Amino acid sequence: MSDTRLLIAQKRIFLDGRVAQSIQQKVTEFTRVVLDGQCLNNNAPVYMVLNKPQGVVSATKDHKHPTVLSLIEHPQKNQLHIAGRLDFNTTGLILLSNDGAWSRKISLPETKLAKTYEVTLAKPVGDEYAEVFRKGIYFAYEDITTRPACLEVLSDFTARLTLVEGKYHQVKRMFGYFQNQVLALHRVSVGNITLAGLGEGESRLLTAEELNGTLETIDQLGKVGLPNACLAAL
Ligand code: URA
């Protein structure tokens, strides 16, 4: 008798709360399999936020550098994927989940989930930037024009930029349009989710309120968590 057959005969395996009857019983990725009272495949949805430090790769595996996943402590961490990557040297808010449908929804430009960045620049921020960002910049490589973005100037060399999409190196390329190099980039919020209470490299589960907020955003097309200064622009 195979090991599994023996365990079934001993009534030690439960499938979705019922004692397993035979080796032929259908088991899918959604079946809850319990052996001797211990769940072997916990598929409960997990939603996490991480404060990414510089020099960490937004990937689940890397040969050379630490990954965002290596900073997470959670029993289901190996099920997680990243919902919206940040560049190697960009710091700040990264969302991770094992719920693919949720990650896909919040990443859609149509959802208009606000992503807010604090940017430090090599040259002073010009007066014309805000209007150009609001109108959108043409990216020849993708043949797209960026969606309206909202710029709040904080000082000569710093600004807060809110986007509702996430094209490759988007913030750097938008300032690159003015030949103004981004020296530091930090994502401070996504929708109503902020880094409050999280030190560098720390992570936590989203609260029910934060999770509902992202779902509400999906219904209300982004009006959740948008900086007041940007409500009219976006
Ligand atoms: N835009 C960038 O250029 N880099 C990031 O990491 C995120 C947005």
Side-chain angles (χ1 to χ4, degrees):
M1 203 185 272
S2 75
D3 287 354
T4 312
R5 280 200 168 86
L6 184 62
L7 294 171
I8 292 172
Q10 293 171 335
K11 303 201 182 316
R12 289 166 64 189
I13 296 186
F14 283 73
L15 303 177
D16 286 335
R18 295 189 175 177
V19 71
Q21 301 292 342
S22 97
I23 194 87
Q24 263 108 33
Q25 245 175 293
K26 193 171 171 197
V27 174
T28 72
E29 69 207 278
F30 303 111
T31 310
R32 190 175 150 83
V33 183
V34 173
L35 170 65
D36 293 340
Q38 211 183 341
C39 182
L40 301 184
N41 62 338
N42 186 357
N43 287 322
V46 178
Y47 307 92
M48 295 194 83
V49 51
L50 165 78
N51 185 356
K52 175 188 169 310
Q54 248 190 356
V56 171
V57 189
S58 291
T60 48
K61 280 189 202 134
D62 193 86
H63 294 307
K64 266 205 207 137
H65 302 286
T67 64
V68 291
L69 214 60
S70 67
L71 301 173
I72 301 271
E73 276 178 37
H74 190 278
Q76 287 162 263
K77 77 179 221 171
N78 291 323
Q79 298 173 1
L80 300 179
H81 56 257
I82 299 158
R85 290 159 197 278
L86 292 177
D87 295 339
F88 186 63
N89 283 322
T90 302
T91 56
L93 197 155
I94 284 222
L95 296 175
L96 299 110
S97 179
N98 59 351
D99 178 349
W102 178 80
S103 319
R104 264 190 303 282
K105 265 192 206 156
I106 65 164
S107 306
L108 286 174
E110 294 72 35
T111 302
K112 290 202 182 162
L113 188 64
K115 295 148 193 90
T116 301
Y117 297 85
E118 281 174 5
V119 193
T120 305
L121 295 146
K123 294 194 265 183
V125 185
D127 292 337
E128 70 281 27
Y129 288 20
E131 184 57 11
V132 173
F133 288 174
R134 197 186 61 74
K135 285 190 174 149
I137 294 177
Y138 179 66
F139 284 174
Y141 184 72
E142 296 98 331
D143 188 23
I144 54 114
T145 300
T146 55
R147 299 202 171 214
C150 173
L151 186 75
E152 302 161 82
V153 179
L154 303 176
S155 72
D156 285 353
F157 293 91
T158 60
R160 196 181 292 132
L161 180 63
T162 299
L163 309 178
V164 291
E165 60 190 341
K167 302 284 176 229
Y168 181 66
H169 291 330
Q170 182 160 347
V171 176
K172 291 173 190 155
R173 289 162 78 194
M174 287 173 72
F175 285 96
Y177 176 83
F178 298 104
Q179 279 92 48
N180 198 346
Q181 193 192 349
V182 171
L183 298 182
L185 187 55
H186 181 68
R187 185 151 70 191
V188 290
S189 61
V190 173
N192 62 337
I193 305 163
T194 69
L195 289 171
L198 281 184
E200 250 190 29
E202 289 178 352
S203 59
R204 62 171 173 81
L205 293 171
L206 294 192
T207 63
E209 199 182 325
E210 287 170 327
L211 187 59
N212 289 336
T214 59
L215 299 174
E216 230 177 281
T217 299
I218 291 165
D219 295 338
Q220 294 184 17
L221 292 185
K223 294 301 179 193
V224 176
L226 210 56
N228 284 340
C230 297
L231 277 171
L234 298 179

